[in-house]
């Protein structure tokens, strides 16, 4: 995997601010060395506090840690990219990022940091009918500004999230510095075989987000209980056979198909559970049975949530 990026990372989305610093310290103590952060998660300051505490307690040094952050949609204009990166760096109390990703192929109207941070999706939350406001910024301009961050040493690697195959072909046609990472939703209900294969053809590593599938989306009313992969028959059968939990089987499946995974939890016992997947191997038959669960079910779909939550229909995958 990319320049020594640990294959299992710790996801930080939806960890409440007041719990984040302690979670990060606990995660380092449990053995995590890779943290998946983003400006939009609204907890980078607290993540920075946790990382600093872990380092000062001697749990890990900066060189042992892999920290990823992401460029938010309102900072796509080339003149805003470095400013956004520096804000994440200062919140995280770091002087470089190991990986910086374009969070979505969606450019939104800029909101100054002093006005509101993180700016989230709608331009004016106080408007009568708050909506997203699109910005006419080509992705190649954003990418050139991302490349400049590598040139200046602020970030070691750059990549993208939530790109489809057509956007990857396009990006590869102009990238001076090739994307090192593609981060996408992937789990057994959304296996994304062709996208992952294409990334492999171009030499781009893949990180699977929401590796536990529906679990992350119940609290957002974006998934129903019946969609839990933890109760899917082939997952439960493999868990029984190996004396592991269904979550461990899902994470092992993700690793065994060659992706990195970044499970999130606020619970120290689950932090350890989610890391303890190196001591068993799923058979080819088990892998195939789990992969056969695919139903192209995307839980994190801007084509759905932007309309429900932000009064703006903004599909990107169709
Ligand atoms: P996830 O890690 O697949 O699932 C997290 C959910 O599963 C939480 O509700 C957690 O609850 C629960 N959970 C964790 N471990 C468990 C276990 N062993 N058994 C049972 N339940 C367990 O989903 P995610 O947070 O959506 O995705 C992971 C990370 O990917 C995010 O945190 C974020 O860093 C990244 N991400 C990136 C994007 C993007 O657009 N680039 C989008 C989404 C996510 P508790 O906390 O209560 O344990």
């Amino acid at each position: 995997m990319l320049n020594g990026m640990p294959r299992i990372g710790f996801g930080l989305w939806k960890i409440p601010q007041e719990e984040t610093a302690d979670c990060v310290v606990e995660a380092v103590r449990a053995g995590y060395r890779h943290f998946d952060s983003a400006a939009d998660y609204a907890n980078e300051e607290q993540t920075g506090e946790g990382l600093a505490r872990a380092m000062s307690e001697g749990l890990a040094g900066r060189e042992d840690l892999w920290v990823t952050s992401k460029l938010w949609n309102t900072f796509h204009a080339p003149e805003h990219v470095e400013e956004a990166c520096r804000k994440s760096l200062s919140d995280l109390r770091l002087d470089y990022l190991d990986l910086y990703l374009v969070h979505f192929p969606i450019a939104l109207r800029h909101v100054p940091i002093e006005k509101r941070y993180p700016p989230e999706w709608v331009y004016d939350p106080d408007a009568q009918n708050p909506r997203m406001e699109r910005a006419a910024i080509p992705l190649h301009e954003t990418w050139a500004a991302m490349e400049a961050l590598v040139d200046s040493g602020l970030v070691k690697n750059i990549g993208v999230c939530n790109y489809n195959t057509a956007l990857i072909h396009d990006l590869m046609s102009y990238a001076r510095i090739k994307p090192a990472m593609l981060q996408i939703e992937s789990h057994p209900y959304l296996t994304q075989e062709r996208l992952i294969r294409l990334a492999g053809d171009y030499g781009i590593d893949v990180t699977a987000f929401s590796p536990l599938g529906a679990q992350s989306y119940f609290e957002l009313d974006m998934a129903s209980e019946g969609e839990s992969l933890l109760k899917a028959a082939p997952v439960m059968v493999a868990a029984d056979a190996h004396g592991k939990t269904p979550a461990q089987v899902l994470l092992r499946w993700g690793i065994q198909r060659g992706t990195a995974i970044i499970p999130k939890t606020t619970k120290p016992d689950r932090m350890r559970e989610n890391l303890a997947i190196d001591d068993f191997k799923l058979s080819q038959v088990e892998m195939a049975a789990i992969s056969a669960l695919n139903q192209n079910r995307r839980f994190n779909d801007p084509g759905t949530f932007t309309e429900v939550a932000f009064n703006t229909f903004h599909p990107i995958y169709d």
Side-chain angles (χ1 to χ4, degrees):
M1 183 61 56
L2 164 61
N3 296 336
M5 183 183 93
R7 273 188 182 274
I8 308 176
F10 186 77
L12 287 150
W13 182 36
K14 295 196 254 88
I15 300 191
Q17 285 175 354
E18 61 281 8
E19 293 175 44
T20 301
D22 288 343
C23 269
V24 168
V25 175
E26 263 325 298
V28 176
R29 209 187 302 285
Y32 290 86
R33 294 293 179 268
H34 164 184
F35 289 85
D36 187 77
S37 177
D40 190 53
Y41 301 163
N43 55 16
E44 287 204 310
E45 266 188 79
Q46 295 75 15
T47 298
E49 182 190 331
L51 291 174
R53 208 193 303 156
M55 286 190 270
S56 75
E57 288 178 19
L59 298 173
R62 174 65 184 97
E63 65 288 353
D64 307 318
L65 298 171
W66 179 284
V67 184
T68 299
S69 184
K70 309 188 189 88
L71 177 79
W72 186 240
N73 305 343
T74 51
F75 296 97
H76 273 220
E79 65 272 23
H80 295 134
V81 170
E82 182 174 327
E83 178 192 20
C85 180
R86 285 190 184 277
K87 170 69 172 150
S88 283
L89 281 169
S90 102
D91 285 351
L92 291 164
R93 306 191 200 178
L94 301 176
D95 53 14
Y96 70 90
L97 291 170
D98 297 278
L99 178 63
Y100 198 46
L101 302 170
V102 176
H103 204 148
F104 281 97
I106 298 175
L108 296 177
R109 185 169 168 191
H110 181 62
V111 177
I113 289 174
E114 323 74 72
K115 188 163 179 212
R116 190 172 76 245
Y117 190 88
E120 303 187 334
W121 292 83
V122 301
Y123 179 69
D124 178 5
D126 299 324
Q128 257 201 345
N129 179 26
R131 285 175 56 85
M132 290 158 54
E133 288 196 22
R134 298 184 182 109
I137 303 162
L139 288 166
H140 70 85
E141 292 186 7
T142 305
W143 190 254
M146 296 285 286
E147 291 172 329
L149 300 176
V150 178
D151 295 336
S152 62
L154 292 178
V155 311
K156 304 274 187 212
N157 298 282
I158 49 177
V160 294
C161 306
N162 301 307
Y163 274 39
N164 64 12
T165 49
L167 286 178
I168 295 284
H169 287 300
D170 188 54
L171 172 57
M172 292 304 291
S173 75
Y174 58 72
R176 172 173 63 84
I177 301 176
K178 305 293 181 212
M181 182 59 67
L182 169 67
Q183 187 180 116
I184 50 167
E185 178 179 343
S186 194
H187 43 70
Y189 282 156
L190 182 69
T191 52
Q192 306 250 46
E193 266 137 34
R194 298 209 293 201
L195 180 53
I196 291 173
R197 179 175 163 196
L198 183 76
D201 285 354
Y202 278 126
I204 307 170
D205 285 328
V206 176
T207 298
F209 75 67
S210 306
L212 300 174
Q215 300 313 118
S216 177
Y217 297 91
F218 297 140
E219 64 190 279
L220 300 171
D221 283 332
M222 287 161 69
S224 59
E225 286 292 336
E227 293 183 292
S228 175
L229 275 163
L230 302 181
K231 297 192 184 105
V235 176
M236 291 174 68
V237 168
D240 272 354
H242 294 278
K244 289 286 179 177
T245 66
Q248 287 173 318
V249 167
L250 291 169
L251 298 174
R252 179 72 209 180
W253 173 86
I255 291 287
Q256 245 177 262
R257 65 202 295 259
T259 62
I261 48 167
I262 45 175
K264 167 264 177 187
T265 179
T266 52
K267 304 181 172 62
D269 54 339
R270 286 182 175 174
M271 290 177 194
R272 287 185 286 276
E273 174 185 338
N274 294 349
L275 266 184
I277 57 172
D278 275 340
D279 57 353
F280 75 112
K281 196 168 182 295
L282 296 168
S283 69
Q284 274 186 11
V285 172
E286 289 167 329
M287 287 295 290
I290 295 168
S291 299
L293 288 167
N294 182 43
Q295 37 184 265
N296 298 325
R297 171 65 165 109
R298 191 186 295 281
F299 295 106
N300 196 316
D301 185 352
T304 306
F305 71 73
T306 57
E307 186 160 36
V308 175
F310 312 124
N311 294 311
T312 317
F313 178 53
H314 196 97
I316 58 172
Y317 295 115
D318 307 80

